């Protein structure tokens, strides 16, 4: 290692150390702020959770679930992964849905995609991305299902946005297909929503997915009894 490289590494280490220290400082301030408003805030928080919404979104650092919805700790059960996917064989996503629907008894499940999603962009290109290949293949499947409509769009940016929306729609269908949601629908008014976060304006857009219609179609094929 040259002296110069060593110095760069050392500076980076100091920088990262400062970044982490800042997080702990922020945490101390956050505790103070919460306690100023309610001295028993953390006592109440530790009593348990009763969220009414399950939010499934992208891991993208710019799409912060709680902040963009303006919800407080305890109000949303959150699951995030690359490109907000709900794969039937993903043990993590399936466990989250099971716990949220069957135990926490949420009434709303949201899949929130976002314009400018790197995961969807990567799936549109034919590069070898290693471990991400099987993950992004699920988005390529969305493309295949909607190939006719998508190939009619000549503008690449419009096509990219449309695939992001269609991916949200398909992930909503994957949720509706789960046994947990079908069982829950029999005894309460559970709803699945498809949203897109517009990263350019900060706006949350409801894609107005017809939950009843999809559910009906899904039950025909995937019904459990
Ligand atoms: Co993304």
């Amino acid at each position: 290692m040259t002296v110069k490289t060593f110095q760069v590494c050392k500076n980076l280490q100091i920088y990262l150390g400062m970044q982490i220290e800042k997080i702990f400082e922020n945490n101390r301030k956050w505790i103070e702020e919460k306690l100023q408003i309610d001295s028993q805030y953390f006592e109440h928080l530790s009593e348990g959770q009763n969220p009414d919404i399950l939010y499934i979104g992208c891991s993208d650092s710019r799409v912060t679930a709680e902040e963009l919805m303006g919800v407080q700790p305890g109000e949303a059960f959150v699951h995030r992964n690359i490109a907000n996917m709900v794969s039937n064989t993903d043990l993590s996503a399936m466990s989250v849905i099971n716990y949220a629907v069957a135990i926490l008894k949420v009434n709303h499940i949201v899949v929130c995609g976002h314009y400018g999603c790197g995961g969807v962009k990567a799936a549109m290109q034919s590069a070898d991305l290693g471990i991400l290949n099987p993950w992004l293949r699920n988005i390529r499947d969305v493309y295949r299902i909607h190939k006719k409509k998508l190939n009619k769009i000549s503008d690449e940016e419009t096509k990219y946005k449309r695939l992001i929306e269609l991916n949200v729609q398909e992930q909503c269908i994957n949720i509706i297909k789960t046994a947990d949601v079908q069982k829950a629908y029999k005894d309460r008014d559970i709803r699945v929503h498809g949203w897109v976060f517009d990263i350019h304006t900060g706006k949350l857009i409801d894609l107005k997915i017809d939950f009843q219609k999809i559910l009906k179609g899904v039950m025909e094929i995937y019904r459990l009894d």
Side-chain angles (χ1 to χ4, degrees):
M1 194 186 281
T2 63
V3 176
K4 202 179 168 192
T5 317
F6 176 78
Q7 198 51 49
V8 168
C9 287
K10 200 74 203 150
N11 288 346
L12 185 66
Q13 247 178 8
I14 293 167
Y15 173 71
L16 290 176
M18 277 161 65
Q19 291 272 82
I20 298 297
E21 192 39 55
K22 179 89 184 125
I23 289 171
F24 282 89
E25 197 187 309
N26 291 344
N27 175 253
R28 284 189 287 270
K29 280 185 195 155
W30 177 72
I31 294 170
E32 265 174 45
E33 279 166 23
K34 291 289 180 196
L35 293 178
Q36 257 171 23
I37 299 164
D38 177 3
S39 61
Q40 290 180 311
Y41 183 81
F42 294 102
E43 277 163 61
H44 292 148
L45 201 63
S46 64
E47 279 164 10
Q49 59 170 333
N50 188 23
D52 197 34
I53 182 169
L54 163 61
Y55 169 101
I56 298 173
C58 185
S59 294
D60 193 304
S61 60
R62 301 164 296 177
V63 192
T64 55
E66 288 91 345
E67 201 177 331
L68 71 88
M69 292 191 289
V71 300
Q72 297 303 313
E75 291 181 346
F77 201 63
V78 172
H79 179 74
R80 289 168 69 179
N81 60 38
I82 294 176
N84 40 270
M85 304 302 289
V86 181
S87 168
N88 302 318
T89 52
D90 176 7
L91 190 58
S92 178
M94 289 300 120
S95 303
V96 166
I97 292 171
N98 174 264
Y99 192 75
V101 174
I103 311 293
L104 296 173
K105 307 229 178 271
V106 298
N107 285 310
H108 300 277
I109 306 175
V110 167
V111 176
C112 185
H114 67 100
Y115 294 139
C117 184
V120 175
K121 185 98 196 164
M124 285 175 83
Q125 292 149 0
S126 51
D128 183 356
L129 297 158
I131 188 70
L132 276 175
N133 289 336
W135 189 256
L136 297 177
R137 198 171 299 139
N138 295 311
I139 309 173
R140 291 191 176 131
D141 288 341
V142 175
Y143 197 105
R144 178 176 50 77
I145 294 165
H146 299 278
K147 195 176 147 193
K148 267 191 183 167
K149 279 181 275 177
L150 286 165
N151 282 350
K152 277 184 192 153
I153 305 170
S154 53
D155 179 55
E156 276 304 304
E157 194 56 30
T158 312
K159 192 193 277 188
Y160 177 31
K161 278 185 156 180
R162 192 68 195 122
L163 182 57
I164 286 162
E165 294 164 359
L166 289 168
N167 183 45
V168 167
Q169 187 183 304
E170 288 302 322
Q171 303 321 312
C172 286
I173 293 170
N174 285 342
I175 291 172
I176 299 168
K177 282 193 302 198
T178 63
D180 290 312
V181 170
Q182 290 188 45
K183 275 185 208 158
Y185 189 69
K186 285 182 180 166
D187 52 60
R188 68 181 196 271
D189 191 22
I190 189 165
R191 301 266 154 171
V192 177
H193 313 264
W195 297 349
V196 170
F197 175 69
D198 187 345
I199 214 150
H200 307 283
T201 62
K203 222 175 191 176
L204 207 48
I205 301 156
D206 187 350
L207 296 175
K208 298 203 176 6
I209 283 164
D210 193 338
F211 173 72
Q212 302 284 2
K213 197 177 150 198
I214 295 173
L215 185 80
K216 217 175 145 213
V218 159
M219 296 277 255
E220 252 177 62
I221 304 165
Y222 300 91
R223 61 183 295 161
L224 300 165
D225 51 28

